[in-house]
Amino acid sequence: MKWRVFLVTICLLVGIFALDRILFYDLYFLFPNETEWDSSPWYNFIYKTKSLQNQKKEHRTIITGSSVALYSVLPDELNQKEIRKTKYDFFSHVAMSPTDLYYYKETLLSTSPDVVVYLHNFADLQWEYLDQKQNSLIFQEEIWVKQLADRYPTKTIYPTQYLKDYWNRISRKSFSKLATKSMFYVSRFRIFFWDPIIVYIDNHFRSGRKYHLYQGEIPIEGIWSKGWTKEIATIQCSEQRKGESIFIQKPNTDVTFQFYQNQKTLDLKTPSVTIQKSFSKTGWTEIQWKDLAGKEIVWQIVQIHVNTNLPTAKEVNLIRYGKDESVGIRLSHFFCKTLSKENYSYSRRSFWDDTRFIQMSDSEFREEYFERMIRDSANRNELFRLHKVREAKKTVNAVDFQPWKEYNRILEISDYFQANKIPFVLVLSPENPIEFAFYKDSQWRKDWINDLRNKLEKRGHVLIDHTEAVKDVRYFFDPHHLTYEGASFYDLIFAKSLEPYLSDPKTETFQEKP
């Protein structure tokens, strides 16, 4: 009887583990991923990783790193070139530290990279755990170990590896939590389990009034990432549904709709129909195209002009600090466009949030940047980490360079790819000249780069310093994240610098395999 109970118990446990693996690691990720850029970072990272592991048709260059990598290059643009030697793909998520990448190295290798490019930045080196003592920086490893146990990447992606290294240095509560997550994927993934399901329901069965990033047609004049237009929005309507939703911020707002047959009539400013409509109430409202344009009118382009009661970006919570400006109305999620079935979780679009900066003069941008990113940053929670990094840039002017844990992780990653004969290129990403000036001429920086370059070269690997590759401050959203226009500008610099490491002895250009 005891043996039967024991065997039944073992069978139940094996069944539970097998069911957990099949349901939450295999079948779950077969569900369509319609989540948007950075809306569910851990789900998107795992989904992207599994996609990379399942498909490889041509020479592949993997771009890895934190949000700095995500905001520095545009693989979609690079991959559209008719003649190219490689296909670029992201293996990246927000706040990816060198330690995170160290624990991902086996998984990264499983994606079959031909070249690994680590887009790295000063901000990635975990400055929260470095404390100045006289002319040295002391890494507070015990604090780092304990706090690392509670980070989402640790809990969600590599709990087992972390426990193997630090099980005897963390609290019982952290040990118990990570042990559970090591055994069951459902425990790991519960923080994002509903994300793709809710997004899918919103996209297919609801009105499109609740969303993370706008995915409809982009007006000629530009649009904010949350779907707010400027005063005028001229839209090529590729999908003409019966109606669309718009959001009116203020009561008694007058809006003029002009319908154009094609681009030629728009250029000539000869609309087929012009109609003004007054919206007495605030909130979302449904507009019917046939009621506005008429049933018999054939049109392709609609121009929406908000005539009265223009709200501002600060009033609708698009921005909190810096230069304010007027906005128009908010458009529904897929306004005038068919819902795309293509996965775009790692695709980036051009929004007015970024584009507006390049429209400013250099002096206007610097003034706006100070108000938005620097003024009172020590007391603004959303800027805490950026403030910490900024202060670290000032601190290194007075200390000597000495390697520490996060720095050494980069060399351990290099060792791993050297052993597996994978080219590894470390690229120091562009930095905003405004903030790069804080430590540009420091001896610490010179020693840091020289030490890193020398050690990588001994391993047969390469360091490329692009810190000053983008000199126009208007191409930066903050100290180290490029705007869409900045990333588009940097793409060419980035791709050209990698060309020497993409050569294939058998052929000049890698062609897609059938």
Side-chain angles (χ1 to χ4, degrees):
M1 187 67 180
K2 291 181 180 180
W3 278 105
R4 289 180 181 177
V5 172
F6 177 76
L7 289 173
V8 169
T9 302
I10 293 298
C11 290
L12 284 173
L13 288 174
V14 171
I16 290 171
F17 284 118
L19 186 64
D20 177 75
R21 164 93 190 185
I22 294 170
L23 286 180
F24 297 104
Y25 189 76
D26 295 325
L27 296 180
Y28 173 69
F29 287 96
L30 295 178
F31 191 83
N33 181 11
E34 295 181 4
T35 58
E36 296 160 338
W37 175 264
D38 79 0
S39 61
S40 185
W42 317 119
Y43 166 75
N44 280 327
F45 178 66
I46 299 171
Y47 189 99
K48 179 68 171 178
T49 300
K50 292 173 75 69
S51 298
L52 291 173
Q53 290 170 329
N54 292 334
Q55 296 180 357
K56 184 184 178 182
K57 295 182 179 180
E58 55 185 312
H59 185 277
R60 171 180 285 168
T61 296
I62 297 292
I63 303 169
T64 189
S66 66
S67 60
V68 171
L70 294 168
Y71 281 79
S72 291
V73 292
L74 303 169
D76 289 346
E77 287 193 5
L78 291 173
N79 292 334
Q80 286 176 2
K81 293 183 178 180
E82 291 184 10
I83 300 176
R84 54 182 171 83
K85 293 183 176 182
T86 189
K87 180 182 179 183
Y88 295 92
D89 269 306
F90 273 135
F91 182 89
S92 177
H93 66 61
V94 295
M96 183 188 286
S97 68
T99 289
D100 292 331
L101 185 55
Y102 168 79
Y103 282 116
Y104 300 153
K105 61 186 185 299
E106 289 87 0
T107 303
L108 178 50
L109 184 65
S110 72
T111 65
S112 303
D114 294 288
V115 179
V116 173
V117 180
Y118 183 13
L119 259 169
H120 182 59
N121 188 277
F122 179 95
D124 294 326
L125 290 169
Q126 303 295 288
W127 292 98
E128 302 94 312
Y129 304 104
L130 287 161
D131 189 32
Q132 184 180 2
K133 295 288 179 66
Q134 297 179 349
N135 66 334
S136 298
L137 289 173
I138 307 301
F139 185 62
Q140 303 175 82
E141 186 167 345
E142 286 305 314
I143 298 175
W144 174 80
V145 168
K146 291 176 182 178
Q147 293 189 2
L148 187 62
D150 201 43
R151 290 179 71 244
Y152 279 122
T154 310
K155 295 186 294 184
T156 307
I157 305 170
Y158 57 87
T160 307
Q161 299 95 310
Y162 177 82
L163 277 179
K164 182 179 177 182
D165 290 341
Y166 299 110
W167 64 272
N168 59 342
R169 298 174 63 180
I170 58 177
S171 67
R172 289 184 179 179
K173 182 178 180 181
S174 294
F175 179 90
S176 176
K177 184 184 297 184
L178 291 174
T180 302
K181 293 182 181 299
S182 295
M183 291 187 288
F184 299 106
Y185 286 107
V186 65
S187 179
R188 294 192 201 185
F189 299 163
R190 64 182 181 181
I191 61 167
F192 60 68
F193 178 81
W194 292 106
D195 290 355
I197 298 171
I198 291 173
V199 169
Y200 186 87
I201 292 172
D202 285 340
N203 288 347
H204 293 270
F205 303 105
R206 292 181 180 171
S207 61
R209 299 176 177 184
K210 177 184 176 183
Y211 58 89
H212 180 67
L213 293 178
Y214 178 73
Q215 295 292 344
E217 291 289 356
I218 301 289
I220 295 172
E221 298 80 5
I223 194 166
W224 293 80
S225 62
K226 297 301 181 185
W228 285 92
T229 70
K230 301 173 71 175
E231 181 181 349
I232 298 176
T234 306
I235 304 167
Q236 179 86 34
C237 224
S238 60
E239 172 71 15
Q240 293 183 15
R241 289 179 282 271
K242 290 182 179 180
E244 297 282 2
S245 293
I246 61 173
F247 186 90
I248 304 296
Q249 179 66 18
K250 295 182 178 182
N252 301 316
T253 296
D254 294 331
V255 181
T256 298
F257 297 86
Q258 291 187 317
F259 295 88
Y260 294 87
Q261 187 174 356
N262 49 42
Q263 184 63 44
K264 182 178 180 180
T265 58
L266 176 65
D267 295 338
L268 295 173
K269 298 182 179 180
T270 54
S272 301
V273 174
T274 298
I275 185 170
Q276 183 171 308
K277 185 174 178 61
S278 182
F279 296 89
S280 60
K281 297 181 180 180
T282 64
W284 286 101
T285 185
E286 184 83 5
I287 56 171
Q288 299 293 323
W289 293 127
K290 66 178 182 179
D291 294 340
L292 295 174
K295 297 180 181 179
E296 307 301 325
I297 298 298
V298 177
W299 59 277
Q300 293 181 358
I301 300 170
V302 59
Q303 189 172 80
I304 305 172
H305 189 163
V306 183
N307 304 308
T308 61
N309 293 336
L310 287 170
T312 70
K314 289 184 179 179
E315 287 178 335
V316 299
N317 296 318
L318 291 173
I319 57 176
R320 295 177 62 188
Y321 301 92
K323 183 181 178 181
D324 201 4
E325 58 181 280
S326 298
V327 299
I329 58 175
R330 191 183 186 204
L331 307 180
S332 54
H333 195 186
F334 293 94
F335 194 89
C336 273
K337 188 176 181 180
T338 305
L339 170 62
S340 174
K341 295 181 180 179
E342 182 180 353
N343 180 278
Y344 44 76
S345 59
Y346 275 82
S347 295
R348 190 179 177 190
R349 305 181 83 194
S350 176
F351 292 116
W352 188 248
D353 310 52
D354 292 350
T355 305
R356 64 195 182 107
F357 297 136
I358 204 67
Q359 311 296 325
M360 302 177 185
S361 67
D362 185 276
S363 59
E364 286 176 332
F365 177 84
R366 289 175 184 270
E367 182 180 347
E368 197 275 347
Y369 185 85
F370 178 79
E371 294 294 329
R372 181 168 51 89
M373 301 302 306
I374 298 179
R375 183 187 290 278
D376 201 29
S377 60
N379 299 315
R380 289 162 57 184
N381 291 334
E382 75 277 12
L383 296 181
F384 171 77
R385 191 167 185 276
L386 293 179
H387 174 75
K388 193 76 175 178
V389 172
R390 184 180 299 117
E391 293 304 304
K393 290 178 180 178
K394 299 174 184 178
T395 298
V396 297
N397 287 280
V399 299
D400 297 327
F401 171 76
Q402 295 177 341
W404 68 99
K405 192 78 171 181
E406 289 289 356
Y407 172 86
N408 288 331
R409 289 296 200 199
I410 298 172
L411 302 177
E412 293 176 73
I413 295 165
S414 176
D415 286 335
Y416 179 78
F417 287 113
Q418 179 194 30
N420 286 279
K421 296 180 174 56
I422 302 294
F424 178 73
V425 182
L426 182 76
V427 178
L428 297 181
S429 67
E431 289 195 32
N432 190 326
I434 295 174
E435 308 225 11
F436 179 51
F438 289 128
Y439 79 118
K440 176 180 178 179
D441 298 321
S442 68
Q443 187 60 44
W444 184 94
R445 182 178 184 274
K446 294 175 184 176
D447 293 342
W448 166 49
I449 293 178
N450 286 336
D451 188 72
L452 191 52
R453 176 180 280 117
N454 292 335
K455 289 178 178 176
L456 286 173
E457 287 178 352
K458 289 179 181 178
R459 293 163 168 81
H461 293 154
V462 180
L463 183 148
I464 300 173
D465 187 1
H466 280 166
T467 310
E468 297 184 87
V470 181
K471 298 184 183 298
D472 192 333
V473 294
R474 299 172 302 169
Y475 278 148
F476 289 87
F477 183 82
D478 62 19
H480 44 262
H481 291 99
L482 289 167
T483 64
Y484 184 93
E485 288 70 27
S488 186
F489 171 81
Y490 175 61
D491 262 351
L492 298 177
I493 300 171
F494 174 80
K496 189 173 181 62
S497 71
L498 292 179
E499 285 181 1
Y501 314 107
L502 303 179
S503 60
D504 184 347
K506 298 179 182 178
T507 180
E508 292 184 3
T509 303
F510 289 92
Q511 301 293 336
E512 183 167 336
K513 298 176 183 178

